[in-house]
Amino acid sequence: MGDAHGDGIPADGEQPVHPVTVPGFSIDATSVTVADFRAFVAATGFRTDAERYGWSAVFHLAVTDPDRIAGEMAGTPWWLGVAGADWAHPGGPSSTAADDHPVVHVSWNDAQAYCAWAGRRLPSEAEWECAARGGLASRRYPWGDELPEDDWLCNIWQGEFPGRNTAADRYVTTAPVRTFAPNAYGLYQCVGNVWEWVHDWFSPRYYATSPIGDPRGPALGAARVIRGGSYLCHDSYCNRYRNAARSSNTPDSSTGNMGFRTVAQSISEG
């Protein structure tokens, strides 16, 4: 587990590389979709953090309602707070989320609520990385070490960030969850497309003391780990579309590029 190539930055805590074992587990082949989340909301009446707060963070090129912009995010002016942006309206209140795309504008709290309803849970960070690697130890990506420029294997940014996306991979924002080839374990888009919440609290120092057996992260923290990068990743800004890459956000935060996938509570016998 960890960055074997020196690609990350120290503040992300991707090193040292360390051995980890995890018990067998069953994980979703895709991120949770808009259709999945819609069924949850229909069954429970759940309101997400974004809906309760009245706004969420939308990438500037994805805004559909410029008159609903409340302001820029500090330090990242390409992120705009948009009133009425939520899981069903990812660009603003006039937009509509496509059912086969990953659900976004969901916080860690929202993901936990979905898991409780579905009888599932968020993966640990170690489980997530094990699944994303697809059996390819120490490789950068789910398919190997190189990113072909003429054969797009994931949904990331092309062009000059943050103003011009050529959409060479066909997508400016999210792609349907089964776009591009799956890894050797059958998982789609573990890197790129959307960041995925995992269970663990974040600490950049945790890998130095992490246990070998089934690590579950620090006991306490201020932010939860997100993994996999998103459609906004670009080497000039954020090269976190890698198996080892990690970042974090506060549990009540929501943006247009964060989703999640789930793990079974236990593996059924037989």
Side-chain angles (χ1 to χ4, degrees):
M1 189 171 180
D3 172 21
H5 300 270
D7 295 323
I9 60 174
D12 287 346
E14 295 181 28
Q15 292 182 333
V17 175
H18 54 291
V20 166
T21 63
V22 292
F25 62 98
S26 174
I27 189 169
D28 292 336
T30 73
S31 304
V32 171
T33 66
V34 171
D36 296 330
F37 203 80
R38 191 185 308 280
F40 159 58
V41 170
T44 64
F46 182 79
R47 295 183 72 232
T48 60
D49 280 333
E51 290 170 291
R52 293 190 302 104
Y53 295 150
W55 67 279
S56 190
V58 180
F59 184 66
H60 73 107
L61 295 183
V63 173
T64 58
D65 300 80
D67 59 319
R68 303 299 296 274
I69 295 172
E72 298 177 351
M73 302 294 103
T76 52
W78 46 87
W79 281 112
L80 303 173
V82 176
D86 57 42
W87 70 271
H89 310 93
S94 70
S95 63
T96 302
D99 277 356
D100 62 346
H101 284 234
V103 68
V104 293
H105 295 294
V106 285
S107 68
W108 186 91
N109 299 328
D110 302 332
Q112 286 287 86
Y114 174 93
C115 287
W117 170 77
R120 298 179 68 82
R121 62 178 174 84
L122 291 176
S124 69
E125 188 173 12
E127 288 172 330
W128 188 97
E129 187 167 326
C130 174
R133 290 189 177 280
L136 297 181
S138 300
R139 299 300 178 91
R140 279 192 176 94
Y141 310 113
W143 57 84
D145 283 336
E146 302 302 324
L147 182 69
E149 293 187 4
D150 56 353
D151 181 21
W152 293 103
L153 300 176
C154 61
N155 177 18
I156 56 175
W157 185 276
Q158 299 89 43
E160 291 81 45
F161 186 87
R164 186 179 72 91
N165 189 339
T166 65
D169 61 9
R170 296 180 290 141
Y171 301 98
V172 174
T173 60
T174 59
V177 294
R178 292 183 184 269
T179 306
F180 308 107
N183 72 7
Y185 289 163
L187 275 67
Y188 290 83
Q189 300 194 91
C190 292
V191 300
N193 212 27
V194 295
W195 283 101
E196 294 182 352
W197 291 107
V198 298
H199 177 269
D200 305 32
W201 289 110
F202 174 78
S203 168
R205 298 177 294 279
Y206 181 67
Y207 282 9
T209 60
S210 170
I212 291 176
D214 196 22
R216 295 296 173 120
L220 298 171
R224 296 284 183 172
V225 177
I226 51 176
R227 297 295 303 252
S230 80
Y231 59 81
L232 295 181
C233 281
H234 186 267
D235 284 346
S236 69
Y237 162 64
C238 168
N239 74 335
R240 294 184 179 94
Y241 54 99
R242 297 174 287 106
N243 291 326
R246 59 201 303 258
S247 190
S248 64
N249 215 328
T250 55
D252 62 347
S253 293
S254 63
T255 69
N257 68 338
M258 283 197 306
F260 65 104
R261 74 179 72 206
T262 73
V263 167
Q265 292 284 13
S266 61
I267 297 176
S268 298
E269 293 183 2

